[in-house]
Amino acid sequence: MLKEEGLPAGVTLGSCTVLEAAGDGALPTLLKTLESSISQTNTNNEQVIWIHVGVNSGSSKFALERRAVNEATFLCPDQLGWQPQQIPVVLEDGGISRSRQTSLSTEAILKFLKKKGFDVVISDDAGRFVCNYVYYHSLRFAEQKGHKSLFVHVPLFSTIDEDTQMQFVATLFEAVASTC
């Protein structure tokens, strides 16, 4: 769909990066990607929005994650075998009850996506695994740099097929662009 129709007006896709499915293993690539996007747009005074997509194998809907928690408690080891238990994602941020919230209007994005026919919900729990870990770092970085971040959980392709999910992501870009 993106190839056929292109991105919505005013939207530039800075990069698309696949992160390792590992907490600390994903961090160097994540931080490099975040820093790189700022240096690319710094001269144009453009708004930077990081959109992260992760799979929730237990879901049958798309979920806009409103917040991330400063807690890493992995129920199973990540791709590199790390399995933290009740430790802060970012030690300097204090305890594991601290959370960060997206500055994007998840309600407006939800409304836009529902009008386009997608089965989507707002979630206040990105889990405590790699998705939450990455999202917390991204929200923290976005807050420090004056930009925005959003994490979206998608179901498996066996639940919602790949074409529909690609259409969803293209429409998500449109929704985010229209609500900023």
Side-chain angles (χ1 to χ4, degrees), residues 2 16 19 23 30 42 50 76 93 99 108 111 115 145 167 177:
L2 283 176
C16 182
L19 298 175
L30 173 69
N42 201 17
W50 296 291
C76 61
D93 280 5
S99 66
K111 185 176 177 182
K115 276 186 182 177
K145 303 296 182 181
Q167 291 171 1

Side-chain angles (χ1 to χ4, degrees), residues 51-67:
I51 298 177
H52 307 277
V53 179
V55 176
N56 178 351
S57 62
S59 180
S60 61
K61 300 177 180 192
F62 300 103
L64 307 173
E65 298 296 347
R66 192 176 358 227
R67 69 185 189 111

Side-chain angles (χ1 to χ4, degrees), residues 1-172:
M1 179 161 183
L2 283 176
K3 288 181 182 176
E4 295 171 14
E5 298 177 18
L7 292 169
V11 174
T12 303
L13 183 61
S15 69
C16 182
T17 306
V18 177
L19 298 175
E20 193 164 8
D24 281 343
L27 233 95
T29 304
L30 173 69
L31 296 175
K32 181 180 174 187
T33 302
L34 298 177
E35 282 288 351
S36 172
S37 64
I38 294 221
S39 62
Q40 289 174 5
T41 59
N42 201 17
T43 56
N44 299 336
N45 240 0
E46 294 174 324
Q47 176 65 59
V48 174
I49 302 168
W50 296 291
I51 298 177
H52 307 277
V53 179
V55 176
N56 178 351
S57 62
S59 180
S60 61
K61 300 177 180 192
F62 300 103
L64 307 173
E65 298 296 347
R66 192 176 358 227
R67 69 185 189 111
V69 180
N70 190 30
E71 179 185 352
T73 297
F74 293 7
L75 296 178
C76 61
D78 68 16
Q79 192 175 9
L80 296 178
W82 187 46
Q83 190 175 2
Q85 296 298 306
Q86 296 183 326
I87 65 167
V89 172
V90 178
L91 191 58
E92 305 86 59
D93 280 5
I96 61 175
S97 62
R98 166 101 194 249
S99 66
R100 292 183 181 274
Q101 188 164 316
T102 184
S103 58
L104 289 166
S105 173
T106 50
E107 291 81 8
I109 295 167
L110 176 78
K111 185 176 177 182
F112 188 101
L113 293 167
K114 281 187 170 275
K115 276 186 182 177
K116 297 289 184 171
F118 292 102
D119 195 3
V120 59
V121 296
I122 292 174
S123 166
D124 285 316
D125 187 358
R128 296 297 176 274
F129 199 48
V130 177
C131 295
N132 178 76
Y133 192 85
V134 165
Y135 194 26
Y136 189 87
H137 278 284
S138 182
L139 286 168
R140 184 176 193 264
F141 192 87
E143 187 178 300
Q144 291 171 347
K145 303 296 182 181
H147 294 296
K148 299 174 189 294
S149 178
L150 179 65
F151 196 101
V152 180
H153 268 117
V154 298
L156 295 168
F157 287 151
S158 59
T159 304
I160 297 179
D161 66 83
E162 185 176 356
D163 287 343
T164 302
Q165 291 204 34
M166 290 304 294
Q167 291 171 1
F168 171 80
V169 171
T171 307
L172 174 65

